[in-house]
Amino acid sequence: MFNRRKFIKATALSAGLLAIDKTSIADAIPSPSNRNANLPIVISTWDFGIAANADAWKVLSNGGKALDAVEQGVWVPEADEKNQSVGYGGLPDRDGHVTLDACIMDELGNCGAVLALEHIKHPISVARKVMEKTPHVMLAGDGALQFALEQGFKKENLLRPASEKAWKEWLKTAKYEPVMNIENKLYEKAAPQKLPGNQYNHDTIGMLAIDSKGNISGACTTSGMAYKLHGRIGDSPIIGAGLYVDNEVGGATSTGVGEEVVRNVGSFLVVELMRQGYTPEAACKEAVMRIIKKKPETAKNIQVGFLAINKKGEYGAYAIQQGFSYAVCNAEKQDLLIKGKSYYPTAP
Ligand code: SD4
């Protein structure tokens, strides 16, 4: 039977919902008065972030979504055969397998990741498919490869000649010494696996973008530690460690020795600190200090760097060792490379 009271309540409720919807749509589309001059913006780790940002910017400057921007941005180092620390061309594990780790996260808190994925040039896109086509967050190893092939990705040999040569050289001593990512004199003296072209045994691309609607997304992708144990996973595909995004607050990503980042749930920590009012740089510094305080002796000889952006488009970074760089791109600044501050400021 028709119940007038129920009808009025339902009508009022849907009117209320409509009102809420309208408000949120109005909030999402920047009017001239609420437009933030910093936005859209994309930032990413290391020098190769400049080229990656340029492709992400093509999406953002055309009014595209932050999620598409970060995916397309990190494709650049993933596809770069000369880059021996991200995707195609990455250095293998100690058994000669190139195993890739990647994750992606959007403004709604959706996320997807692949761990130790082999034979696929763009793990970030497989991570996105995990997010969008499955009820899961992570797929690993053979299962991740099977899923990628089912989704139409092409199987390729990722072990490129330069990395195969470097691995065969390493096999002569096969010293298990996964030191990485210290761009200082100490490392130069100690590093047996210094790579050609001034590359070291490191470098993950972590990218954070805010689109013109103010929505934040992030991506993180790497071939991880060179000559690692087969099956070793770093921080890069772990949501909360290598990457975290909260659309109310901001986003963070990390690079360096993943084990220390995982132990401290680094990127989640950075975002939570920003929620408490820390600036992006101060939040990154505090996350670095947690690592240093817990293990001061270890920290002297490792690199970890965090990069963060807040909802306003303010950004910052902090690392244990000097030499961490990050790239920034918005309407005013293109091709900007910034030297991140660090706890150990100078080469010993
Ligand atoms: C890892 N965090 O696999 C990655 C590697 C990296 O700079 O970022 N190196 O632990």
Side-chain angles (χ1 to χ4, degrees), residues 223-274:
S223 55
M225 218 171 238
Y227 320 130
K228 60 197 173 186
L229 284 171
H230 184 56
R232 178 263 180 192
I233 308 294
D235 57 321
S236 305
I238 308 294
I239 295 295
L243 177 73
Y244 195 69
V245 169
D246 185 316
N247 212 41
E248 285 182 1
V249 179
T253 188
S254 63
T255 181
V257 177
E259 282 74 1
E260 296 310 325
V261 178
V262 171
R263 285 180 183 120
N264 291 279
V265 200
S267 291
F268 180 73
L269 173 62
V270 170
V271 171
E272 288 307 302
L273 289 167
M274 290 195 292

Side-chain angles (χ1 to χ4, degrees), residues 87-99:
Y88 190 62
L91 286 164
D93 64 18
R94 65 173 191 177
D95 302 335
H97 302 269
V98 179
T99 65

Side-chain angles (χ1 to χ4, degrees), residues 35-42 57 61 312-313 315 328-336:
R35 194 183 172 279
N36 179 337
N38 287 330
L39 307 184
I41 187 167
V42 56
W57 183 249
S61 59
K312 290 186 239 163
Y315 49 82
V328 176
C329 181
N330 68 6
E332 276 123 47
K333 305 171 195 129
Q334 307 264 319
D335 300 342
L336 178 66

